[in-house]
Amino acid sequence: MAAEVVSQNDWFNWSLNQLAREFGIARETVQSRLRSANINPNGERRGFPVYSVAQAAKAILVPQTSLGVTLNDPDKMSPQDRAYWFKAEIDRVKLEREIGAAVYVNESREQMAVIAKTGLQVLETLPDILERDFGLDADVIAGVEARVDVLREQWANLLEETE
């Protein structure tokens, strides 16, 4: 079999068969997506149309329905596609939980409450420690207590906002 010499301009102009082979989809699917994206041939090679790889890739890689609507919106999917989409989303969330990239909201809230409670316990005993162990002045202790009270209020407000 003899090798074909192709000019540099033709390197990035591919036929439907080349596009289908490289993107791993049926030739008919490539043709349909090019047509729905209004991608016209860039020329011909051996009597067959060739398309710009850059333009074709955009049309091929962006999932489209026959109406040209992206498939990321389950409200615009057919019932079967919507069922597949939700199943895939459930599987994605399960995987994220398994690898530790996601947690349930209630678990997160419980963890935050434990952290806040532990931190507040330390902060509430801080004035006593400062007075007993360091013999600080009553005015300093009152200032620390006031700042702890402000912090407690801020944490309470933040926790209420998240619910």
Side-chain angles (χ1 to χ4, degrees), residues 14-162:
W14 291 357
S15 68
L16 292 174
N17 285 337
Q18 288 172 308
L19 291 166
R21 183 178 56 243
E22 292 302 318
F23 287 99
I25 58 177
R27 182 183 183 282
E28 293 78 15
T29 303
V30 170
Q31 188 172 28
S32 170
R33 290 187 182 172
L34 292 175
R35 194 176 304 127
S36 68
N38 294 322
I39 305 294
N40 296 317
N42 247 16
E44 283 190 3
R45 189 179 314 131
R46 289 186 282 169
F48 294 100
V50 291
Y51 299 85
S52 162
V53 175
Q55 291 177 346
K58 290 176 188 172
I60 292 168
L61 295 176
V62 174
Q64 296 180 341
T65 65
S66 59
L67 301 174
V69 178
T70 59
L71 294 177
N72 300 4
D73 187 356
D75 293 334
K76 295 179 182 172
M77 295 179 187
S78 70
Q80 183 179 14
D81 289 341
R82 186 173 26 255
Y84 289 139
W85 187 84
F86 279 112
K87 168 107 175 62
E89 284 298 296
I90 290 168
D91 291 343
R92 180 184 60 79
V93 171
K94 284 180 184 176
L95 173 65
E96 287 178 354
R97 281 204 27 86
E98 286 177 15
I99 63 174
V103 296
Y104 288 121
V105 172
N106 289 338
E107 287 178 15
S108 174
R109 285 184 180 145
E110 288 172 9
Q111 290 171 357
M112 288 303 298
V114 167
I115 292 168
K117 185 177 179 180
T118 304
L120 280 175
Q121 286 174 345
V122 169
L123 291 174
E124 286 177 351
T125 60
L126 184 61
D128 296 334
I129 294 170
L130 292 174
E131 183 180 18
R132 182 189 66 227
D133 295 348
F134 297 99
L136 291 181
D137 197 20
D139 292 338
V140 174
I141 301 299
V144 170
E145 286 176 336
R147 290 198 175 125
V148 168
D149 290 342
V150 168
L151 183 60
R152 183 187 309 113
E153 287 296 317
Q154 288 175 344
W155 283 4
N157 291 337
L158 288 172
L159 287 174
E160 285 178 9
E161 288 176 13
T162 61

Side-chain angles (χ1 to χ4, degrees), residues 5-14 18 44-45 50 53:
V5 177
V6 179
S7 74
Q8 283 186 335
N9 292 339
D10 290 338
W11 281 359
F12 299 108
N13 290 317
W14 291 357
Q18 288 172 308
E44 283 190 3
R45 189 179 314 131
V50 291
V53 175

